[in-house]
Each structure stands twice: as C-alpha cells, then as structure tokens.
Amino acid sequence: MATTPADLAELLPDGRITVDPGRLASHAHDEGAGAPWALPAAVVLPRDTAEVAAVVARCAERGVPVVARGAGTGLSGGANATAGCVVVSFAAMNRVLRIDRDERLAVVQPGVVNEDLRAACAAEGLWYPPDPASAPWSTIGGNVATNAGGVCCVKYGVTRDYVLGLEAVTGRGEVVRLGRRTAKSSAGYALAGLLVGSEGTLGLVTEVTLRLRGERAREHTVVGYFDDLPAAGRAVAGVVASGVVPSALELVDRACLRAVDEWKNMGLTDGGNVLLLARCDAPGTAGEEEAGTVLECFRAAGASWSARSGDPAEADALFAARRLVHPALDRLGAVLSEDICVPRVLVPDMLAALERIAGRNGVRIAGLAHAGDGNLHPMLVVERGDERALARGREVFEEVVDQALALGGTVTGEHGVGLLKMRGLARELGPAVLDLHRGIKQVWDPAGILNPGKVFAV
Amino acid sequence: MATTPADLAELLPDGRITVDPGRLASHAHDEGAGAPWALPAAVVLPRDTAEVAAVVARCAERGVPVVARGAGTGLSGGANATAGCVVVSFAAMNRVLRIDRDERLAVVQPGVVNEDLRAACAAEGLWYPPDPASAPWSTIGGNVATNAGGVCCVKYGVTRDYVLGLEAVTGRGEVVRLGRRTAKSSAGYALAGLLVGSEGTLGLVTEVTLRLRGERAREHTVVGYFDDLPAAGRAVAGVVASGVVPSALELVDRACLRAVDEWKNMGLTDGGNVLLLARCDAPGTAGEEEAGTVLECFRAAGASWSARSGDPAEADALFAARRLVHPALDRLGAVLSEDICVPRVLVPDMLAALERIAGRNGVRIAGLAHAGDGNLHPMLVVERGDERALARGREVFEEVVDQALALGGTVTGEHGVGLLKMRGLARELGPAVLDLHRGIKQVWDPAGILNPGKVFAV
C-alpha cells in the first residue's frame, strides 16, 4: 500500500519531490533530543495549496503517513518522520501575501520565517508579537502547529491569540477556510483556534491570517543579579504581586550564563549567579514608572546588583545573550529541554523542586525561564550519542513534569507535545479528555495519516 | 421515550425540578424576536456539577433534548426550548468560587451574573473586561456559550480571550475539565476555546476559570455628533487609520437616540443625528494624547459638534444612554436585532448599504454599532404580534447578512447563531466546514440531545 515517489511525482512538477538520501535524512527529525525518528519515503515541496491537497488526498487513498514540516526547530519531536512517510516541507510556500495597515492583519503562507514576517510588519509600522527564541529560523506554520510563545507573551499572548483565520488541508485532502478576518465573530465552532497547537494531526495549514498590533512603545529594561534561585524567585513573585505586567521577565541561571560566557566571553557570570531580565513597555511615562516598580521588587528580594539599563544596546545584548543559551548548551552536547508551565506565583516552588530533583538524581539542570508567565525551560546536557544518559535525562524530566502537574501546571507551555510529552499529556488530560481528542482527530483525519503517533496514541 | 419529570425527580432533591406551567413558559425562550420555541417538559435547577451530569446522562439514555439556560437574554434564540425538552437553568449555580489576585484569575459557576463578577473583581483591584450590553442580567455561562463581546472588546477582546479553562458535562453525561489555569499551554487541542461559542451544542459548562486584568487606567471620553452616517463612518475610518486603539468606539444613530429621548427625555437628539462615543485608556499622559487624536479625527470628518468630556458623570450618562437603546426600542415593539461584523475599514460601506437596503424595502433600520471593531447592530422594530411584519423584517435582515458576507464579514459578531443565523452561517462556512461541525458535534454529543436544531442542521 505504500506510496511510491513515482505515484506522487505525477501530482507535482519537477523538482518538487525528492528521494535524495541526504535530503531525506535532513528532513527526518526536528531538534527534540531523544525523540525517535525514521527516514521518510519522500520529501515534497509544494508551491501552493492545490499541490498540498493533491499530495494529502493521494496519501489518504494509499494510507501513507504525512508529516508537515516548517524549519524543523521544534523541541518535542513533533516534526519527526515515521518510516515510509511523506514529509511535506513548506519551505517553498514562504511568502507574506498581504499586510493590511488599517485592518491590522497579515496574510501569510506557512513557510514564512517568523522574523521575516516581523520585519515586513515593522516596515508598515506594525508588530507581530509572538517571538519564540527560534524566531530567526522557525516558520509561522510551525509556530501555529505548536502554539508557539516567546519572551513577550507574558504581556501579549501566544500564537493562538493572533490567528484570526486559517486555510488548511484536512486528512481527506479537502481545502477548508476556518476562522475570519473580522475583529470578532461568534459564527460556529472555533476551528481556527482548534488547529492552532494541533501539531499537524488535524490538518496541514496552508495560509494564515494574523492579527497585528501597532508599533510598540519604547521598552525600558531592568536587570538584576541574584545570589541564588530562591532570591530570584522572590523577585518574580514580587513583580507579580506588584500588579505590573512586564513585556518580558526572563530568568537565566548560572549554568546557562556560563555556557554563553564559555562560547562568547560576554562576562555574564561576573555579575552574579542568577540573572533576571525585565522589560516594561507601557506608553509614555507609565513605562518608566513600571520599570521603577520592577527595580524596587528586585531590590526588595535581595538582588546583589540591579539597575535600569539606560543603554538600549546593552539591554539588547543581554536579551541576545538569553537567546544564545540554547545554542551555547548545544555546543556542549545533546540538550534535553523541558517546557513546563506552572501558575506564576508558584515559580519559586518549582525552582526549588528543580534543585531537589537535580540533587536527588545527581545531575545538573540548567535553568532558563519565562518567569513572568510561569513557563520554565529546565535543560539537561548529555554527551551526544550516550543513549543511556539521554534515557536517564528523560526519566529525570518525567519527575519534573510530575512536579509541574502537582503544582497545577501543564506539561508544555509553548513547545508542544510531539513525541516527548505524550506520557505527560495523558496524565494531564485524563482518559475522557483524551477520548475527545481521538474523536476529533477521527473527524479531521479519518484515515489516520496526519502525523500519526504524535501528541496522543490513537 | 420521553423523560417524565418523575424520572428526573429521582435524580434531584425537592424543589430542583418544576413543571409549573408559568415556570415552563418563562423558561421557553430568550429575547431573539421571531425565533421559534416550544414549551419544555421540565425546568431543572441543579446546584452542582454532579446534578447536571446526572440529568444529562438520564436524558441521553432517554433521547430527551437538553437546553442550557443562563439569564435568557440571548438575541438569537439559542436558549429556546424545543417541545418536550429539559431546560437546565444555571440560576442556582451562581457563585464566584475564587478570585486569585496574584494569579489574576477567577473561578466561577456559570450562573454568576456578568456585573456581579465584575464587581467582585473590582473589589480585589482586578478587572474582567467583557461587557455585553446585557451585563446587568446575563450570566457568564451564557456569555461563554455565545462568546459574548461588548463595548471594550475593540481593545480588550471577547469572552473566549478570557476563558483559561472550563469544566463541562458532555452529551454523554461525562464531566470533563478542559484548558488550564496557567498563563499558557500547548498541551493538546484547544478544547476550552472550542466550547466557548458552541451555544450549548457540545457540552454544558459547569465551571469557568477566567483570566483577569489589573484595574484599568482612567478613561478619557470623546463625544462627537455628526449630520449623517457617512460623516460618522469617515470619523471611524479616521480613528482606525490613526493607529489609536480606543477602549470604546460606539455609534448611535438618530432612531436610537430618539427612542431613548422619548423614554428618558435625555435630550440626546438635540445634539445632532449620529452620535459617536469614544474612550481611550492608555495609562498616564498617553491616554490624553489618544483622546486628542480621536477628537481631531472627529473634527476632520466634519463633526457638527465634538468635545472631550471633562466630566466623568456626563460621559457615564452618555454610555448609559447607549445601553438604554435596546430597552428603549423594546418599548416600541418587537426588536429584531442584527449582529453582523465587517472588516472595520468597511464600516462606512456597510452603513451606506444599510441605508440602501432600508430604502429599497421601505423600512427604517435603527443603527447601533461597536463601530471600532466593525460590529454593527442594525435594528428593526415591528408591532408585537404582527407575524407578517416580523417575517418581512427577517427577510430584510437576510439582505443585510448577505451584504456583510459580500464585504468579507461574518453573520454574528457576538450574539451567536442560535436559530436566527443558521441560514447565514451555512453560507458563511460552506458545506465542508459545516461537515466538520457535524463531526465534532457527534463526538461530544453522540445522542444528539444537546440543544438540537441550533447553530446548524445535523
């Protein structure tokens, strides 16, 4: 029953399908360390929705799995190929189709890179907020698939909050338009929102209509160094209690700072053990006032050093350093990256639990967190190729996930479930809600070909 | 196969079920003029989730329709009883269970009245933004069912934007918890968002976890009178183009103003023919600057009179007058209320189309609009009991709906589909997307007992 590439080739023009072993290998997995993958039978690069629909319809007839792929920067294995599947890469559907200044929306193809869209919006005096650390590489299609977040979502929300409408190809190969382009609508079920975060299991997104904001006001940066995680945790709790909603509130621990220093020699560890980076962007003088309040919170929590950054270049450098944490750790080995999210007042509790879990298991967990919204990214670095260490790291992270659930949290704040969080998701949702997922999957993808084996077991 | 009240009575304590004819009649329909309804077999008033689940499970066994009901203020017939159904009233599940100041969330039962929740939040220095005109009476459960909007959603979004998590009873009588209480999550399908706006067709919502905001900054009010709708439309387009996002931008036409004057003698019509009410609430001096920009837009569009309101009492009175429009028209006869939403730059086009449609049909359409987000509420008043006039009014509104769709709009911005927008919804979505709705409905409600015959034909 397997689709041969020849079978697909008749649907697509020359050059839009490849079975080159190197290309197959480079499209076989994302960056989720430890997630299983296999080689696809073919990689296709459709140029338009009709080609996507033709490929999916043929695969549905043949019972061949279809795995959608953006830039492959995912961290949960959600884009990993299954043996003999067809990988649909959206690399050739990467255009910004329209930016509407008055209506404040953009219509884009799924393969457009997040930062390219943000630059195109900025040229029109507009702003697309979701800013995952992968923004220079990751695509809007991938961001939609995982409901990606980022640094500013503590104030401005995540990808789903910006998706007004979608065009998608269902598992039947049918093209559907979901959602709207108006500011609001109560017309039928929220199917566009349902597809956001569905990780390619319900449909392949072929066009996205995104809500935009006007240019943001100037950001004021506040930096604080703390001796230990509990002190930094108190500072975060203090900001939360103050009522200020910062446009960023990031935590970077010593292990992360050192990895960046060893690579880029930025002197980050000279300041202290735990770095908090905050930004405030209320318009006018209100932004300065907010920054003043955050600074007071940092000091009250016992910051060893804290300051407003008067120098935008310095502030940008610190935020850039935060984005370098993942690649800096990646130099040292395979990075297992967690993505739990807990109620934000419980960030200190979760940080303390992470220290306990690390101590109990004799490992060092590096800590990076969107602390302001309770989304923590504990990371473990293991030697590449050491499968036993990788498996042990995964076990440690199961403890982390259990702890997050015990605190009323969720197993994934912004990376998605993919393959790595399936066990955690089952625990988080319980059997009745999982059954609803299975039922909905069956409606959209009756042949079960769309990203099979991901998110939940069918 | 019909459930007898005795059959249900064994599931509920005394006084929680009624077959009193007066009570049945008062629970038979909402405020959607012209929508068909029938008498229910019984009205039940559960006190907790377990009682809701028991009733639904019994009705599922027996194949008896279940219609959920909040305050009955809906305008689309979504809460109308079908013959022999069981109406589940949430009047006795009306408690605010928790307000968490640090986490900025509230946990409420569905029967809590919108304004009661807002008052409870205000007492904690918090704010629940969605503010439908029905807020003094309508319940959070009903707001969730219709994805209700209101005046401030032009800046702050609609009900779905504030629902973090839900507890619900499916059509099988199963209790499920959906969504989350954390700031973000990418864990599985967005089922809480799916239930918002599903109008009781997928599940009965028994508890809601709502995101809150901090106390809002002071609002600055700008008032403008215009000679005609095109001038007011230009003013709206000007505000949109200016980049200011007001926290309210409401349009009230002469027919509405006169109805309020005739009732309350407020002298609204002395000012001019079309009233625009704007509010700006950026913090600090930025709010004043925004208000200044809006005032300039009003003047540039040819306002016959315009001013910032320095007097909060006067400003509140004008917004209160806007909320009186519906009850004021209701005094004159049965009010047919439309709820189309168009791209906001096309508000002038839609207003012009409404004048053409009214002229062609020899009727007078009163105009009320959340102009800033393109959500228009054209209204027709017909003599109560004049079924022919009612039917003709509905036909006129089908033209209005067609025009909204032609402009890229939606058939309902915030009232929901209920019974009155089913034809329009089918046109808006098309057969493939309607089939997805039917499939999803089947998953949640395999017996087809939840609010049958509403939103779409099964």
Side-chain angles (χ1 to χ4, degrees):
Chain A
M1 289 291 277
T3 290
T4 63
D7 192 16
L8 287 176
E10 71 188 43
L11 302 172
L12 297 168
D14 281 355
R16 295 287 148 197
I17 176 164
T18 178
V19 294
D20 172 79
R23 295 291 293 282
L24 296 185
S26 69
H27 287 74
H29 60 83
D30 64 19
E31 295 175 12
W37 53 270
L39 280 184
V43 174
V44 300
L45 287 123
R47 290 165 314 176
D48 58 32
T49 302
E51 289 182 4
V52 176
V55 167
V56 173
R58 180 64 57 91
C59 288
E61 275 171 35
R62 301 283 193 269
V64 173
V66 174
V67 178
R69 184 183 176 89
T73 56
L75 293 167
S76 304
N80 283 12
T82 54
C85 78
V86 170
V87 168
V88 176
S89 163
F90 285 98
M93 288 176 68
N94 63 350
R95 280 183 304 141
V96 175
L97 300 174
R98 190 157 70 89
I99 293 181
D100 186 327
R101 204 174 180 290
D102 283 341
E103 208 60 29
R104 290 195 171 177
L105 58 79
V107 182
V108 307
Q109 291 186 313
V112 73
V113 170
N114 179 300
E115 273 198 0
D116 292 347
L117 170 62
R118 290 154 65 82
C121 292
E124 300 287 332
L126 295 167
W127 178 41
Y128 175 67
D131 58 348
S134 61
W137 313 283
S138 68
T139 64
I140 296 298
N143 293 173
V144 166
T146 55
N147 191 25
V151 167
C152 73
C153 56
V154 57
K155 181 166 181 177
Y156 291 103
V158 294
T159 302
R160 184 179 292 118
D161 298 312
Y162 292 89
V163 174
L164 290 173
L166 292 172
E167 181 190 71
V169 174
T170 70
R172 290 186 158 94
E174 244 177 347
V175 180
V176 290
R177 294 201 78 90
L178 310 171
R180 62 190 207 267
R181 52 176 283 213
T182 51
K184 57 191 190 183
S185 173
S186 288
Y189 299 159
L191 300 188
L194 181 69
L195 250 68
V196 179
S198 66
E199 305 188 37
T201 63
L202 298 179
L204 271 59
V205 172
T206 50
E207 189 189 285
V208 192
T209 301
L210 294 163
R211 191 167 72 88
L212 305 175
R213 287 181 178 269
E215 238 165 13
R216 69 199 301 192
R218 190 163 75 88
E219 288 185 298
H220 305 266
T221 302
V222 183
V223 182
Y225 272 103
F226 298 83
D227 288 338
D228 51 32
L229 285 172
R234 283 196 305 273
V236 170
V239 172
V240 166
S242 77
V244 169
V245 180
S247 53
L249 183 53
E250 298 290 308
L251 180 149
V252 193
D253 82 352
R254 185 169 185 83
C256 295
L257 296 174
R258 198 174 44 221
V260 176
D261 273 353
E262 283 170 2
W263 184 24
K264 298 287 184 185
N265 199 22
M266 291 177 76
L268 297 168
T269 36
D270 300 346
N273 290 324
V274 185
L275 174 65
L276 281 184
L277 296 170
R279 276 181 161 162
C280 301
D281 70 352
T285 52
E288 286 163 51
E289 285 163 26
E290 287 184 344
T293 303
V294 170
L295 188 63
E296 280 167 36
C297 294
F298 283 12
R299 287 183 178 155
S304 53
W305 182 85
S306 62
R308 291 195 220 196
S309 179
D311 176 2
E314 181 193 48
D316 286 347
L318 285 167
F319 273 88
R322 182 244 169 267
R323 280 194 297 275
L324 291 175
V325 168
H326 200 279
L329 291 170
D330 198 54
R331 291 171 65 244
L332 308 177
V335 181
L336 284 75
S337 177
E338 253 307 326
D339 176 39
I340 49 165
C341 189
V342 297
R344 55 190 175 177
V345 289
L346 300 180
V347 166
D349 302 58
M350 191 66 220
L351 290 170
L354 284 170
E355 292 203 324
R356 282 199 308 275
I357 292 169
R360 195 159 62 221
N361 288 280
V363 296
R364 261 260 301 290
I365 298 179
L368 189 68
H370 306 303
D373 55 21
N375 186 198
L376 286 78
H377 294 311
M379 286 179 289
L380 262 171
V381 182
V382 300
E383 209 179 317
R384 264 182 237 287
D386 184 343
E387 292 299 325
R388 231 179 104 195
L390 198 64
R392 206 168 131 251
R394 285 278 152 231
E395 277 164 36
V396 172
F397 276 168
E398 290 296 335
E399 288 184 45
V400 171
V401 162
D402 283 340
Q403 183 60 35
L405 291 176
L407 292 176
T410 175
V411 300
T412 167
E414 57 184 13
H415 292 172
V417 176
L419 290 163
L420 296 177
K421 292 300 183 68
M422 289 176 62
R423 203 192 79 135
L425 185 78
R427 265 176 298 161
E428 181 172 341
L429 301 186
V433 176
L434 268 186
D435 275 346
L436 291 170
H437 279 68
R438 292 188 186 102
I440 289 171
K441 163 88 172 159
Q442 174 72 20
V443 170
W444 290 76
D445 176 27
I449 58 164
L450 297 185
N451 216 7
K454 310 288 170 61
V455 187
F456 53 88
V458 173
Chain B
M1 288 292 275
T3 290
T4 63
D7 193 15
L8 286 176
E10 72 189 41
L11 302 172
L12 297 168
D14 280 355
R16 295 285 147 199
I17 176 165
T18 178
V19 294
D20 171 78
R23 295 293 291 282
L24 296 184
S26 70
H27 287 71
H29 61 82
D30 64 18
E31 295 175 12
W37 54 270
L39 281 184
V43 174
V44 301
L45 287 124
R47 289 164 315 176
D48 58 32
T49 302
E51 289 182 2
V52 176
V55 168
V56 173
R58 180 64 57 91
C59 287
E61 277 171 35
R62 303 280 193 272
V64 172
V66 174
V67 178
R69 182 183 178 89
T73 56
L75 293 167
S76 303
N80 284 12
T82 54
C85 78
V86 171
V87 168
V88 177
S89 163
F90 284 99
M93 288 175 70
N94 63 350
R95 280 183 304 142
V96 175
L97 300 174
R98 190 158 70 89
I99 293 180
D100 185 329
R101 205 174 179 287
D102 284 340
E103 208 61 28
R104 288 195 173 179
L105 58 80
V107 182
V108 307
Q109 291 186 313
V112 72
V113 169
N114 179 300
E115 272 198 0
D116 292 346
L117 171 62
R118 291 153 65 83
C121 292
E124 300 287 330
L126 296 166
W127 179 40
Y128 175 67
D131 58 347
S134 61
W137 313 283
S138 68
T139 64
I140 295 299
N143 293 174
V144 166
T146 55
N147 190 24
V151 165
C152 73
C153 55
V154 57
K155 181 165 182 178
Y156 292 102
V158 295
T159 302
R160 185 179 292 117
D161 298 312
Y162 292 89
V163 174
L164 290 172
L166 291 173
E167 181 190 72
V169 174
T170 70
R172 289 186 159 93
E174 246 178 346
V175 180
V176 290
R177 293 200 78 91
L178 311 170
R180 62 189 205 268
R181 53 175 281 210
T182 51
K184 57 192 190 182
S185 173
S186 287
Y189 299 158
L191 300 189
L194 181 69
L195 249 68
V196 180
S198 67
E199 304 188 36
T201 63
L202 298 179
L204 270 60
V205 172
T206 50
E207 189 188 287
V208 191
T209 302
L210 294 163
R211 189 167 73 89
L212 305 175
R213 289 181 177 269
E215 237 164 15
R216 67 199 305 192
R218 189 163 74 88
E219 287 185 299
H220 304 266
T221 301
V222 184
V223 183
Y225 272 104
F226 298 83
D227 288 339
D228 52 31
L229 286 171
R234 283 196 305 275
V236 171
V239 173
V240 166
S242 77
V244 169
V245 180
S247 53
L249 183 52
E250 297 291 307
L251 180 149
V252 193
D253 82 352
R254 184 169 185 84
C256 295
L257 296 174
R258 199 175 42 219
V260 176
D261 272 352
E262 283 170 2
W263 184 23
K264 298 287 184 185
N265 199 22
M266 290 177 76
L268 297 168
T269 36
D270 301 346
N273 290 323
V274 185
L275 174 65
L276 282 185
L277 295 170
R279 276 180 160 162
C280 300
D281 70 352
T285 53
E288 286 163 52
E289 285 163 26
E290 287 184 344
T293 302
V294 170
L295 187 63
E296 280 167 35
C297 293
F298 283 11
R299 288 183 178 157
S304 54
W305 182 85
S306 61
R308 292 195 217 196
S309 179
D311 176 3
E314 181 194 46
D316 286 346
L318 285 167
F319 274 88
R322 182 246 169 267
R323 280 195 296 274
L324 290 175
V325 168
H326 201 279
L329 291 170
D330 198 54
R331 291 173 63 244
L332 307 177
V335 181
L336 284 75
S337 176
E338 254 307 326
D339 176 40
I340 49 165
C341 189
V342 296
R344 55 188 176 179
V345 290
L346 299 181
V347 166
D349 303 57
M350 191 66 220
L351 290 170
L354 284 170
E355 292 203 324
R356 282 199 307 275
I357 291 168
R360 195 159 61 221
N361 287 281
V363 295
R364 263 258 302 290
I365 299 180
L368 188 69
H370 305 304
D373 54 20
N375 187 199
L376 287 78
H377 293 313
M379 286 178 289
L380 261 170
V381 181
V382 300
E383 208 179 317
R384 264 181 237 286
D386 184 344
E387 293 299 324
R388 233 179 101 193
L390 199 65
R392 207 168 129 250
R394 286 278 152 231
E395 277 164 35
V396 171
F397 276 169
E398 290 295 335
E399 287 184 46
V400 170
V401 162
D402 283 341
Q403 183 60 34
L405 290 176
L407 292 175
T410 176
V411 301
T412 167
E414 57 183 12
H415 293 172
V417 175
L419 290 163
L420 296 178
K421 291 301 183 68
M422 290 176 64
R423 203 193 81 136
L425 185 78
R427 266 175 296 161
E428 180 171 340
L429 300 186
V433 176
L434 268 186
D435 275 347
L436 291 170
H437 279 68
R438 291 188 188 103
I440 289 171
K441 163 86 172 161
Q442 174 72 21
V443 170
W444 289 76
D445 176 27
I449 58 163
L450 297 185
N451 217 5
K454 311 288 171 62
V455 188
F456 54 87
V458 173

